[in-house]
Amino acid sequence: MTATIRDVARASGVHVSTVSRTFSAPHLVNAETRNRVLAVAEDLGYRPNRAARALTTGRTHNIGLIVADISNPFFPPLIKAAQAHARTRDYHVFVADTDEDPQVEEELIQTLTKQVDGVLLCSPRLSNRVIERLHADVPFVVVNRRIKGMPTILMDVAQGARLAIEHLTGLGHRRLALAAGPSGSWTSGQMREAAAAAAAASGAELVILGPNAPTEQGGLAVAAEVVASGATGVLTYNDLVAIGLIEGLYERGVRVPDDVSVVGVDDTLSGRLNRPKLTTVAMPTSAAGRIAVDLLLQSVGDGGTSTLTTLETRLVVRESTGEARS
Amino acid sequence: MTATIRDVARASGVHVSTVSRTFSAPHLVNAETRNRVLAVAEDLGYRPNRAARALTTGRTHNIGLIVADISNPFFPPLIKAAQAHARTRDYHVFVADTDEDPQVEEELIQTLTKQVDGVLLCSPRLSNRVIERLHADVPFVVVNRRIKGMPTILMDVAQGARLAIEHLTGLGHRRLALAAGPSGSWTSGQMREAAAAAAAASGAELVILGPNAPTEQGGLAVAAEVVASGATGVLTYNDLVAIGLIEGLYERGVRVPDDVSVVGVDDTLSGRLNRPKLTTVAMPTSAAGRIAVDLLLQSVGDGGTSTLTTLETRLVVRESTGEARS
DNA sequence: TTGAAAGCGCTAACAG
DNA sequence: CTGTTAGCGCTTTCAA
């Protein structure tokens, strides 16, 4: 059905290797010949078969990107940045969703292994041990998880939590709460520690509420506890939780930011669209996507150095926080 | 590095073809031999190279899924449903984002063509002509666009638009606006026609505003025109536009639903979390994802029958619409 | 039930 | 600058 290199060779009266060169090393072929081949190829609708090419070159020019849940608004910016950046390097990105299932994740990695030159693991759910084993077959770059011996990109959640707490105490809030994330989350652990330390340093009280589901439901559910705690400043695991919490407070007649200030994490679209607009800790997701691709292509080239890249976070003050009432 | 079929053959003292059969047609090989081969393979960590296999069989057992914008919350449920369903058929799904760019879309399809057995085109931005040309090289299933000769899944946007307009006129709104989508969008065209017809049938006026970007920015930008039009009931291209529009109206001191009623389309999470909660036309996205995979695998098998599947939509009334003020 | 041989579409030395 | 040859990892006749 589709034209192959041989069809083009035949139709243009040259050997297949000349056709091959026309596409993979054009400068090595006579301009005249090249143009003829190109014309014939165009005419036949010929496209080099990248999979076949990969068989001999060992380079597919594809990279895989694995996420736990594509519908988590945290991921799309990272994915888009990775795709866009990869394209400038003549690479294509295939995204796959593991549905939060480690088994699916492993299977997906195995499948991808031979069809891509490297894999970007974003917030993996697999154990370090399994990841290390799989790593023998394909280069990895890991985002949001520290695994020794692998290029890793971390977003500095601890710093973000600190910024948020300082923002809150700066506004005069003395009684704070943290609506923590799921118990298995590395990120949530980081937040707890950093928030506790920052609160202590400012002489404020901090109660930790949770674990909570990392969703709007989780936020809705924790609202009662927040009210009961008497906190006037709350840091949440992510924007979704913040939005749910604000909704829950609202239903109880508690106004944000008039009565209680709320800070989210991630700076997702949902947060920007919420009313009140969320004050939130922005994660450098796009940068992470770009850098991840660079690291990956680099380790595809040289076999993989283990780098740890930590990206700073940033506090975006919008409407969900305000001064404590005296 | 990775073990090949030859390594396994050597290590287990059989010919490569026997190893091959062990994996692709186990029943054709002696149980004893098979077990030995399997053991050795396991031991060597051998995995058949699917790309190489595809070279001879012509089946990659992958399908491609192309979307215009992965961060549009409309897509994730469709993607997840497609992935989950494909897995039950022993297929994997590779997702790619075109960034709303027809050129990128074409390039992506070309790349994918040889690495997958078929492609799911979701809300393509490419012209029918180009799609038809590309179709010569790989089976397609198209979602949200009618192209003759191709298996197509349509969500009945026309019906949805009708429901929305009738809802609005039923609330007493006589002056309506449609915030249309991008010019390349088939869906947007459907909405225009159906909305115009429904408005006329109810004796209401309808102005069409746009084209607009299918995003929150698009909604924000069209707010001024909506105000200028004097419309009190607005149907938008999708939830994102609705949310942006509500924000834009709010900034101009126009209240929703008190002054103006707004209806979105898609029933996304963002819409459910927005305040006011969006009245919206719910699209059967998960069903579309599942059915799309079935159709695609079917046409991979038999060469592709052209089926038209139309899925019904449903109006979800929430808080962004209310009675017209007399 | 297994082996031998050919070939999928392409690239990569090596000659010429 | 171009043709020859060999081979990437795998499947698939065809014989044995």
Side-chain angles (χ1 to χ4, degrees), chain B residues 15 17-18 21 28-30 33 55-56:
Chain B
H15 196 264
S17 54
T18 303
R21 276 187 284 260
L28 291 181
V29 60
N30 183 341
T33 319
L55 204 52
T56 61

Side-chain angles (χ1 to χ4, degrees), chain B:
Chain B
M1 24 200 89
T2 330
T4 85
I5 200 174
R6 230 172 319 256
D7 300 323
V8 178
R10 192 163 14 224
S12 45
V14 298
H15 196 264
V16 291
S17 54
T18 303
V19 178
S20 172
R21 276 187 284 260
T22 304
F23 286 93
S24 37
H27 60 279
L28 291 181
V29 60
N30 183 341
E32 200 180 326
T33 319
R34 190 196 321 146
N35 289 137
R36 184 153 39 90
V37 171
L38 250 19
V40 171
E42 169 78 51
D43 200 46
L44 264 44
Y46 168 76
R47 299 254 144 203
N49 180 330
R50 307 176 108 229
R53 169 181 292 179
L55 204 52
T56 61
T57 61
R59 287 276 173 283
T60 62
H61 269 246
N62 292 144
I63 76 188
L65 194 163
I66 295 193
V67 299
D69 178 8
I70 212 173
S71 67
N72 181 334
F74 168 78
F75 291 113
L78 193 156
I79 296 172
K80 291 185 87 91
Q83 300 225 55
H85 195 62
R87 263 172 38 73
T88 71
R89 300 276 190 279
D90 194 27
Y91 263 76
H92 287 280
V93 175
F94 294 154
V95 182
D97 177 323
T98 69
D99 225 4
E100 300 272 359
D101 183 336
Q103 205 135 330
V104 175
E105 185 172 343
E106 182 168 359
E107 188 186 319
L108 239 22
I109 293 176
Q110 312 249 40
T111 305
L112 239 24
T113 292
K114 289 304 188 347
Q115 330 207 22
V116 301
D117 296 340
V119 177
L120 242 51
L121 248 35
C122 301
S123 309
R125 296 294 183 248
L126 244 24
S127 72
N128 281 18
R129 210 173 34 71
V130 177
I131 293 179
E132 276 159 10
R133 178 161 53 70
L134 261 16
H135 186 43
D137 294 335
V138 65
F140 284 149
V141 164
V142 186
V143 178
N144 274 352
R145 169 97 145 250
R146 181 76 189 112
I147 306 183
K148 67 176 193 319
M150 261 170 247
T152 302
I153 298 176
L154 260 28
M155 318 214 187
D156 200 340
V157 218
Q159 173 222 10
R162 207 155 44 235
L163 289 174
I165 296 294
E166 284 165 4
H167 171 62
L168 254 14
T169 57
L171 289 168
H173 297 279
R174 318 303 324 162
R175 202 167 164 70
L176 272 25
L178 169 68
S183 47
S185 163
W186 180 86
T187 302
S188 187
Q190 295 287 300
M191 285 180 68
R192 295 170 99 107
E193 286 181 32
S202 314
E205 270 183 80
L206 177 81
V207 298
I208 294 182
L209 273 18
N212 303 287
T215 62
E216 163 237 7
Q217 295 301 340
L220 216 43
V222 81
E225 290 178 67
V226 167
V227 172
S229 76
T232 63
V234 187
L235 171 60
T236 63
Y237 177 67
N238 67 17
D239 282 1
L240 257 25
V241 172
I243 291 171
L245 170 61
I246 291 174
E247 186 62 28
L249 291 175
Y250 186 82
E251 284 171 2
R252 289 175 171 71
V254 179
R255 296 318 192 98
V256 174
D258 310 352
D259 304 318
V260 169
S261 286
V262 175
V263 181
V265 170
D266 284 353
D267 191 21
T268 60
L269 183 63
S270 298
R272 285 197 288 281
L273 296 180
N274 197 65
R275 191 147 50 240
K277 293 189 172 70
L278 234 49
T279 291
T280 188
V281 178
M283 307 291 258
T285 43
S286 299
R290 263 196 314 279
I291 296 173
V293 168
D294 279 338
L295 286 176
L296 190 57
L297 295 188
Q298 186 179 316
S299 67
V300 166
D302 64 18
T305 27
S306 153
T307 341
L308 170 59
T309 310
T310 304
L311 304 175
E312 294 216 337
T313 58
R314 191 168 45 86
L315 183 72
V316 182
V317 179
R318 292 205 267 255
E319 307 168 352
S320 65
T321 50
E323 296 209 355
R325 292 199 294 208
S326 41

